[in-house]
Amino acid sequence: MKIKLAILLLFSGFSMLSQEQLSLENLNDFKDPGSNWKIVGDVVADRNITVHTHQDPEPINLSKKEKRRQKKSKETIHPIHIQPGTGVLFNDYSFTQKDHLLSQWQHGDIKLEMEILIPNGSNSGIYLQGRYELQIKDSWGILNPTSYDFGGIHRNWEEEPSKKFLGITPLSNPAKAPGLWQKIKIHFEAPKFNDSGEKIANAKFVSVTLNGVLIHSNVEVPMPTGGPISTEETAMGPLMIQGDHGPMAFRNIKYQLLKESQVTLSDLSYITYKGDFKGLEELEDAVVSEKKSGELIDINVVHAEDRYGITYTGKFTIPEADDYLFSIGYTGGINFGLDGKTIVTNNSSEAQENLEQTVSLNAGEHLFTLTNIKNAGWRAPRLGLSIATANSNPKNFHVYDSYPPHISSVSPISVTAEATPRMLRGFVSFKGNEERLSHTIGLGTPEGINFVYDMGSENLVGMWRGTFVDATPMWHSRGNGSFKPNGAVQWTFLNQPLAELADLQSPFPKTGSAPDFKSNGYTMNPVNGLPIFKYTYKGVEVENKIYPNDKNTHLINEVSFSQTGKPNWYYKIASGKAKKLSDGSFDVGDHQFYVKVLSGQEPIIREVNDEAEIIIPVDGSTIKYEIIW
């Protein structure tokens, strides 16, 4: 059983309403900001020029005459350009301007998200509570990231073994190219202390996602990392952004302060049953094995691995009226009722999943029942229940062994390209949910540069770095025919990229709407083992080659034609707001990715149906361009 969309929308809705967003109209949310911190309208960082950072040698004091001579001998290159306005927080780092930035407010447990633009070679860090650093660094193209790379949890500099912390490496490296906006989401739990001030729980990064990819999950940080505001751990502390390592830009900073749940459980008791139960209703006539009271839900009290049933009853005391998210994890079948009403149910004996439902509750006592059966010897006994609100962490009402974390319903089925390229036909949801494409091919390379090609439109629709794809949705059980890229996908655009247009205000045809457009499959290129896609448009044969560049950092798209001299033909290479840069490339979608034409044609930027596009006139010569993300 899948979580209903309405449930997800409800929970998402009240979660978003509880977020605070820094206005970035001024620096009022920060404490005594140094002169290096500025509010600007936009930052454009040249991806080809490395900026000055703390690793550079300190500048030498020169005389006026020496400065004039140096200025004449070497033209000054500015890697970063600032546009006036508001909405972007910029660290205008220099050797003399390099203060850290601290928030006016303090936090304990927190959910934090923001977009970050990293210039070439730059470096910074986000310090939760001013003490636990998540590294921010230009790590584009790093195959084996360390704790020093983007998303790493930084080490400290202590030498005494009991005080030394060596950092934590991110699970993967979904970092984008320098000068592009990258999105990070952090769920952090502060260290916990008892009434005597003794620490009873370490700080923890519950989850960190970078560009939509999970890079940390439930990792503890036992002590402050390097460069904290203090080595003394506390329950509350300010957010700090490092300012002394290099220039950096931030926008769309949102946070959600979380508190400990005050929901309590009482009057818990359970009844166990033994038998080959196939449905929950069979417990009505079953013989009771044992009746007892308990303090927390614990599936181990059935004293069996399989062929059992159990019913828990108890009372939740809700401290205040709010929307409460109930999460029930289990194997077998489940029914959870609250105040006499069924909240979630799955009348099975062999399922394994986590069900969630949001319920609006008034303050006071609420009676519940939780029934579980299992008749599936290949699954381990599991039963857990947690409750959360938009402003509180989930609180578990089960013992650890009853439902340990990281329970997965199935083992993932991964497809990798280890020695040679791999291809996989399947369905793909464009941008994750916008439109389901049915004629797509995923292509993975040993270098980890992967892409999805839509043969319905003969178009490159997405690309990513990683270990190719997760084919579990395709091959597990009956499957749904789709695969999931193992990485942060940079999507391009839908529909046919090649067309004869009546004028420059005409849109490109939608997939399947051009009768004179025919796919001819593909052949394999013996040089690199990658496909050469072939199609025909209005009698012209077209070949499309897509392959990694020489440094394996991004993709090159090469399109050749069998005829020349076709008037009013155009090829679309990008969709989205575009700006031409000094090196001839284009910044697309407000610093989302770059495209650069390598074959000499002059691109045209146009707007059709409120959508900006970059198109190239087709004269029959080969079109070759690179996509950098």
Side-chain angles (χ1 to χ4, degrees):
M1 180 184 294
K2 296 182 179 178
I3 303 172
K4 294 181 179 179
L5 180 60
I7 298 171
L8 287 173
L9 289 175
L10 175 60
F11 184 58
S12 173
F14 74 74
S15 177
M16 289 299 295
L17 289 173
S18 64
Q19 281 187 324
E20 297 287 341
Q21 179 163 356
L22 303 188
S23 69
L24 298 186
E25 298 286 327
N26 49 52
L27 292 169
N28 292 347
D29 281 299
F30 303 101
K31 182 178 180 181
D32 301 325
S35 58
N36 51 310
W37 291 99
K38 300 175 180 178
I39 298 295
V40 300
D42 193 16
V43 174
V44 178
D46 192 321
R47 71 177 188 279
N48 300 303
I49 304 176
T50 302
V51 298
H52 291 299
T53 70
H54 75 298
Q55 296 175 336
D56 300 316
E58 291 283 347
I60 301 173
N61 291 324
L62 302 175
S63 66
K64 291 183 179 180
K65 185 177 181 180
E66 288 172 324
K67 289 180 180 178
R68 286 195 298 268
R69 187 183 299 121
Q70 187 183 70
K71 185 176 181 180
K72 288 181 180 179
S73 64
K74 184 178 180 180
E75 182 181 355
T76 302
I77 299 175
H78 299 286
I80 298 177
H81 297 275
I82 306 303
Q83 295 182 7
T86 61
V88 176
L89 173 67
F90 178 56
N91 177 24
D92 191 9
Y93 165 88
S94 71
F95 290 110
T96 58
Q97 295 183 142
K98 49 185 179 180
D99 290 340
H100 300 325
L101 188 66
L102 276 74
S103 63
Q104 292 274 20
W105 42 271
Q106 297 201 356
H107 72 87
D109 298 349
I110 187 174
K111 287 185 178 180
L112 174 71
E113 64 179 72
M114 66 182 71
E115 291 180 85
I116 305 171
L117 187 149
I118 309 175
N120 186 330
S122 196
N123 187 333
S124 182
I126 299 171
Y127 282 75
L128 284 303
Q129 294 192 309
R131 292 167 171 81
Y132 313 97
E133 181 186 7
L134 195 74
Q135 176 80 337
I136 307 299
K137 185 181 179 183
D138 174 20
S139 299
W140 184 51
I142 300 294
L143 295 179
N144 299 300
T146 69
S147 60
Y148 296 96
D149 286 303
F150 194 5
I153 299 172
H154 212 285
R155 63 164 296 170
N156 65 15
W157 307 113
E158 301 288 343
E159 292 300 327
E160 185 180 328
S162 63
K163 297 181 179 180
K164 183 181 291 188
F165 173 65
L166 297 179
I168 300 173
T169 299
L171 296 173
S172 64
N173 179 28
K176 299 175 75 172
L180 300 177
W181 287 113
Q182 310 194 53
K183 189 166 187 177
I184 194 161
K185 290 186 175 183
I186 302 165
H187 182 184
F188 172 83
E189 288 186 359
K192 301 298 184 293
F193 302 86
N194 62 20
D195 293 339
S196 301
E198 300 170 318
K199 187 172 76 167
I200 56 175
N202 289 326
K204 179 195 292 186
F205 285 90
V206 179
S207 65
V208 180
T209 60
L210 174 58
N211 297 322
V213 177
L214 182 70
I215 59 171
H216 290 296
S217 178
N218 285 311
V219 292
E220 293 189 8
V221 184
M223 57 194 70
T225 60
I229 59 173
S230 170
T231 57
E232 180 183 354
E233 296 185 281
T234 58
M236 301 290 288
L239 182 71
M240 184 177 84
I241 302 177
Q242 190 176 54
D244 66 348
H245 276 45
M248 196 77 53
F250 306 84
R251 72 178 185 185
N252 293 329
I253 303 174
K254 303 174 185 178
Y255 67 94
Q256 186 176 351
L257 302 180
L258 303 174
K259 58 187 179 182
E260 288 299 303
S261 173
Q262 300 302 311
V263 177
T264 58
L265 170 63
S266 60
D267 299 342
L268 185 68
S269 63
Y270 62 84
I271 302 173
T272 63
Y273 310 87
K274 299 291 175 61
D276 292 328
F277 305 115
K278 302 297 185 183
L280 294 164
E281 67 281 355
E282 295 181 24
L283 293 185
E284 295 178 5
D285 300 321
V287 177
V288 173
S289 294
E290 187 177 49
K291 287 185 178 182
K292 277 192 175 182
S293 60
E295 295 184 359
L296 291 172
I297 292 167
D298 184 1
I299 195 60
N300 300 298
V301 300
V302 299
H303 304 298
E305 290 291 314
D306 197 34
R307 298 191 296 276
Y308 61 75
I310 186 170
T311 296
Y312 272 100
T313 59
K315 180 169 58 181
F316 288 120
T317 301
I318 302 298
E320 58 185 356
D322 204 341
D323 292 326
Y324 290 83
L325 177 70
F326 289 80
S327 298
I328 297 97
Y330 65 97
T331 53
I334 199 78
N335 183 275
F336 175 65
L338 192 64
D339 296 330
K341 298 179 180 179
T342 296
I343 303 301
V344 292
T345 188
N346 182 10
N347 195 8
S348 170
S349 62
E350 58 184 38
Q352 177 172 314
E353 59 188 345
N354 185 82
L355 297 180
E356 295 185 338
Q357 174 65 289
T358 300
V359 183
S360 295
L361 295 177
N362 293 321
E365 296 178 347
H366 298 267
L367 302 178
F368 78 91
T369 60
L370 176 63
T371 300
N372 176 218
I373 60 171
K374 187 173 89 73
N375 195 343
W378 62 94
R379 298 200 189 280
R382 295 288 185 264
L383 184 61
L385 186 150
S386 67
I387 304 175
T389 68
N391 294 304
S392 69
N393 282 312
K395 183 174 183 179
N396 294 332
F397 293 96
H398 56 267
V399 300
Y400 182 91
D401 289 344
S402 187
Y403 195 73
H406 309 302
I407 298 298
S408 176
S409 58
V410 295
S411 297
I413 305 172
S414 297
V415 179
T416 60
E418 297 178 356
T420 58
R422 295 288 300 272
M423 295 177 63
L424 186 63
R425 293 288 298 267
F427 300 136
V428 170
S429 294
F430 184 75
K431 291 188 177 179
N433 56 14
E434 284 194 6
E435 184 169 329
R436 190 170 171 84
L437 306 177
S438 59
H439 292 75
T440 51
I441 293 181
L443 198 292
T445 69
E447 296 80 15
I449 306 296
N450 316 301
F451 63 89
V452 173
Y453 188 85
D454 180 17
M455 295 186 66
S457 61
E458 299 295 341
N459 184 29
L460 173 63
V461 294
M463 66 285 298
W464 71 97
R465 298 178 193 85
T467 57
F468 197 28
V469 299
D470 177 2
T472 309
M474 176 181 290
W475 289 334
H476 174 65
S477 188
R478 294 183 179 181
N480 62 11
S482 64
F483 58 80
K484 296 190 297 184
N486 279 330
V489 182
Q490 179 57 62
W491 300 101
T492 60
F493 56 89
L494 292 172
N495 302 325
Q496 184 178 318
L498 174 65
E500 179 182 12
L501 302 179
D503 51 52
L504 282 179
Q505 284 70 51
S506 301
F508 280 78
K510 292 185 177 181
T511 301
S513 64
D516 39 16
F517 187 89
K518 179 184 177 183
S519 176
N520 296 326
Y522 58 86
T523 59
M524 301 307 294
N525 189 333
V527 176
N528 56 21
L530 299 174
I532 302 173
F533 298 101
K534 299 186 175 187
Y535 58 98
T536 303
Y537 179 61
K538 297 197 173 196
V540 177
E541 296 178 357
V542 185
E543 289 190 349
N544 196 176
K545 301 176 184 177
I546 304 167
Y547 51 91
N549 69 321
D550 292 340
K551 295 181 180 180
N552 293 311
T553 57
H554 55 273
L555 285 175
I556 293 175
N557 195 5
E558 187 175 329
V559 188
S560 58
F561 308 89
S562 65
Q563 297 180 31
T564 61
K566 292 290 184 181
N568 301 321
W569 280 37
Y570 298 91
Y571 193 90
K572 188 195 305 190
I573 64 172
S575 177
K577 177 184 175 183
K579 180 179 180 180
K580 192 170 184 178
L581 304 176
S582 59
D583 67 347
S585 64
F586 291 85
D587 179 306
V588 182
D590 186 20
H591 312 329
Q592 295 303 312
F593 65 99
Y594 306 107
V595 294
K596 185 176 182 180
V597 177
L598 304 175
S599 49
Q601 296 91 343
E602 186 63 35
I604 299 170
I605 299 177
R606 70 169 193 163
E607 187 168 319
V608 177
N609 297 332
D610 298 324
E611 182 178 11
E613 297 176 336
I614 304 177
I615 63 176
I616 295 177
V618 176
D619 60 7
S621 60
T622 296
I623 294 173
K624 184 177 179 181
Y625 65 97
E626 56 186 353
I627 305 176
I628 305 165
W629 76 99

